[in-house]
Amino acid sequence: MEVELSVDVLPRLRIAGPRVESPTHVMALGYAGSVDDALRTAIGNLAQWLEQDYQLTPSELAQVMGTAVEIKVAEVADRNAGVMAGIAKARLAPLPRASP
């Protein structure tokens, strides 16, 4: 298998956890000792990302996330759980992005 990876360093941006962007999705990851905690972390990280990039109000954030979030359990091993919360970029396309 061949994998291509690029990393962007954003020195003034505070993020709560790992973020991944593919050609089709934006995704936030959550890792914790339980699936519940990992899910909570992933959702919180994704909400922070959307709030920063799209300046959404809490009500708008709830509408977007309540209708568009995709959840995948990536890992459950020993006492560790990993969850991905993502949204298709096509679902975000109508939203105006905040200026940097």
Side-chain angles (χ1 to χ4, degrees):
M1 177 183 347
E2 189 173 312
V3 176
E4 183 177 322
L5 174 72
S6 66
V7 176
D8 293 328
V9 176
L10 308 170
R12 287 181 278 295
L13 184 64
R14 296 196 183 275
I15 62 172
R19 296 176 174 180
V20 178
E21 188 170 347
S22 76
T24 60
H25 286 74
V26 294
M27 298 163 274
L29 308 176
Y31 294 97
S34 72
V35 173
D36 288 345
D37 289 342
L39 175 61
R40 213 175 342 274
T41 300
I43 291 290
N45 292 345
L46 184 60
Q48 179 194 43
W49 191 354
L50 296 177
E51 189 176 36
Q52 287 173 340
D53 282 15
Y54 295 94
Q55 306 262 309
L56 299 177
T57 66
S59 176
E60 293 167 335
L61 193 56
Q63 289 175 357
V64 170
M65 292 188 67
T67 60
V69 170
E70 300 171 27
I71 304 293
K72 295 196 179 178
V73 176
E75 171 188 2
V76 178
D78 297 325
R79 295 182 182 159
N80 299 307
V83 174
M84 179 282 301
I87 295 183
K89 289 180 178 180
R91 300 291 300 266
L92 298 172
L95 301 175
R97 288 187 68 112
S99 357

